[in-house]
């Protein structure tokens, strides 16, 4: 079978020698072998695993997505985010590190946004105060 995993920005996996694939949707884990009937499902946040014909196993962490089997020999996964790897433990470390980095970036962006909002509020309050003075110190 041929497997392709793609995101909006890249093709993460393009393997032509897949003997077995395991994925997970809302109903649970399932397997796909060559000759599988046409199939379409929505994946959960999970790890897709596949065995190549030479016996090696590979993994790809996906952030939801759509899996499509066509003609019993083509498996295509379209997802928002995917990270592939050959070692499951290493893949876990990479995914956790990426999540932490994303959370830190999100926190920093949220903090900057709040700081800008506070500056805008201070400017509005300064403008609306009745004891405003002009450049020369005269009150108006």
């Amino acid at each position: 079978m041929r497997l392709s995993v793609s995101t909006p920005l890249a093709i993460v996996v393009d393997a032509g020698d897949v003997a077995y694939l395991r994925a997970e949707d809302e109903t649970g884990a399932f397997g796909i072998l060559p000759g599988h009937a046409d199939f379409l499902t929505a994946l959960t946040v999970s790890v897709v695993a596949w065995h190549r014909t030479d016996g090696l196993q590979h993994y790809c962490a996906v952030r939801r997505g759509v899996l499509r089997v066509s003609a019993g020999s083509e498996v295509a996964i379209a997802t928002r985010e995917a990270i592939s790897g050959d070692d499951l433990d290493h893949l876990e470390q990479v995914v956790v590190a990426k999540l932490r980095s994303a959370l830190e970036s999100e926190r920093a962006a949220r903090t900057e946004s709040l700081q800008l909002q506070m500056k805008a509020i201070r400017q509005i309050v300064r403008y609306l105060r009745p004891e405003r003075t002009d450049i020369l110190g005269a009150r108006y």
Side-chain angles (χ1 to χ4, degrees), residues 93-136:
Q93 292 170 2
V94 170
V95 169
V96 168
K98 189 168 184 170
L99 284 174
R100 283 187 183 141
S101 174
L103 285 173
E104 287 301 318
S105 296
E106 186 178 320
R107 282 186 193 134
R110 194 174 20 230
T111 300
E112 290 177 21
S113 174
L114 288 172
Q115 288 172 344
L116 285 172
Q117 290 173 13
M118 292 305 297
K119 285 181 182 179
I121 290 170
R122 284 187 196 109
Q123 289 287 27
I124 291 169
V125 168
R126 195 174 302 138
Y127 179 79
L128 295 176
R129 280 194 189 140
E131 64 270 357
R132 282 191 342 184
T133 58
D134 65 11
I135 297 173
L136 301 175

Side-chain angles (χ1 to χ4, degrees), residues 18 43 94 130:
V18 176
L43 299 176
V94 170

Side-chain angles (χ1 to χ4, degrees), residues 44-119:
T44 60
V45 175
S46 59
V47 175
V48 175
W50 66 94
H51 289 273
R52 291 184 5 190
T53 53
D54 60 7
L56 294 176
Q57 188 165 2
H58 299 278
Y59 306 95
C60 186
V62 294
R63 184 177 169 196
R64 300 195 178 273
V66 176
L67 179 141
R68 177 178 51 95
V69 178
S70 57
S73 62
E74 297 285 329
V75 179
I77 297 174
T79 181
R80 191 174 276 227
E81 197 172 353
I83 303 170
S84 66
D86 297 333
D87 180 21
L88 194 55
D89 291 330
H90 179 39
L91 181 62
E92 178 184 18
Q93 292 170 2
V94 170
V95 169
V96 168
K98 189 168 184 170
L99 284 174
R100 283 187 183 141
S101 174
L103 285 173
E104 287 301 318
S105 296
E106 186 178 320
R107 282 186 193 134
R110 194 174 20 230
T111 300
E112 290 177 21
S113 174
L114 288 172
Q115 288 172 344
L116 285 172
Q117 290 173 13
M118 292 305 297
K119 285 181 182 179

